[in-house]
């Protein structure tokens, strides 16, 4: 019998992220505490980053918090966000939030080490670019690996795909 396998990936559902951004923009436009603050949120760099502008550092952080709430409601992990500190640019504060997608080599090695050390013995993990392929002869062992990784507190959001 052939090995069963699945892929560990870190992808962003860009449609859901876009919906969360649009909902945030709408809420910022309607909320009383944002009136007259010039608070805006928009994509920058072709859906790789988000730029938040406001007239104070607190307002910029408040817009970020609203955006985080919308992401959570849409089922996206906050681990995809990498927010800088608000920086003064002219008369307004700018806050750049980059979206993390893909598993870098450092995290891939860390995940494969966790699988090797704590996972079932018959499981193999291979790094393939920005994802990992996990394979085993027994499907139950693959389920154990998924449960193991879900229980770990890693700095990146993980999804499990191509389960065969």
């Amino acid at each position: 019998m052939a090995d069963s396998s699945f892929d560990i990936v870190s992808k962003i559902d860009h449609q859901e992220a876009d919906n969360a951004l649009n909902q945030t923009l709408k809420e910022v436009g309607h909320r009383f505490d944002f009136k007259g603050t010039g608070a805006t949120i928009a994509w920058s760099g072709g859906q790789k980053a988000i730029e938040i502008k406001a007239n104070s550092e607190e307002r910029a952080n408040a817009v970020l918090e609203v955006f985080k709430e919308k992401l959570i409601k849409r089922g996206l992990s906050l681990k995809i966000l990498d927010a800088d500190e608000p920086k003064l640019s002219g008369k307004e504060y700018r806050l750049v939030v980059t979206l993390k997608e893909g598993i870098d080599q450092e995290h891939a090695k860390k995940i494969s080490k966790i699988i090797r050390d704590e996972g079932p013995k018959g499981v193999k993990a291979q790094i393939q670019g920005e994802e990992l392929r996990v394979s085993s002869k027994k499907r139950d062992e693959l389920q154990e690996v998924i449960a193991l990784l879900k229980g770990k507190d890693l700095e990146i959001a993980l999804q499990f795909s191509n389960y065969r």
Side-chain angles (χ1 to χ4, degrees), residues 1-144:
M1 189 173 116
D3 283 2
S4 298
S5 68
F6 69 90
D7 295 334
I8 301 173
V9 295
S10 181
K11 294 201 185 314
I12 299 170
D13 186 344
H14 287 285
Q15 185 61 51
E16 290 295 338
D18 191 44
N19 290 342
L21 184 126
N22 290 331
Q23 285 180 333
T24 303
L25 190 59
K26 195 176 199 179
E27 185 169 325
V28 167
H30 291 305
R31 271 183 37 183
F32 180 75
D33 57 333
F34 287 114
K35 294 276 189 237
T37 61
T40 62
I41 182 170
W43 288 109
S44 78
Q47 291 198 341
K48 295 285 183 206
I50 293 165
E51 188 175 46
I52 298 171
K53 298 177 189 174
N55 67 355
S56 74
E57 194 173 340
E58 293 79 25
R59 286 291 125 224
N61 284 324
V63 173
L64 178 61
E65 289 304 314
V66 172
F67 182 61
K68 285 180 179 180
E69 289 173 19
K70 301 302 179 190
L71 286 175
I72 291 170
K73 283 185 181 175
R74 296 200 141 302
L76 295 172
S77 172
L78 294 182
K79 292 178 181 178
I80 64 172
L81 298 180
D82 188 19
D84 293 337
E85 289 297 314
K87 292 182 179 66
L88 187 60
S89 172
K91 290 185 177 181
E92 66 186 4
Y93 282 84
R94 290 181 182 209
L95 173 63
V96 177
V97 181
T98 53
L99 300 177
K100 298 185 286 187
E101 192 168 31
I103 302 173
D104 60 13
Q105 286 294 319
E106 179 187 329
H107 284 101
K109 288 178 183 175
K110 191 174 175 182
I111 292 168
S112 66
K113 182 171 174 22
I114 290 171
I115 293 170
R116 259 195 332 272
D117 295 347
E118 301 176 33
K121 294 296 173 220
V123 177
K124 294 184 287 294
Q126 302 163 319
I127 300 171
Q128 299 178 336
E130 292 191 338
E131 59 184 49
L132 273 91
R133 165 82 35 98
V134 179
S135 58
S136 172
K137 294 208 181 299
K138 299 178 185 166
R139 287 180 169 241
D140 291 347
E141 291 177 343
L142 295 179
Q143 294 288 343
E144 288 178 40

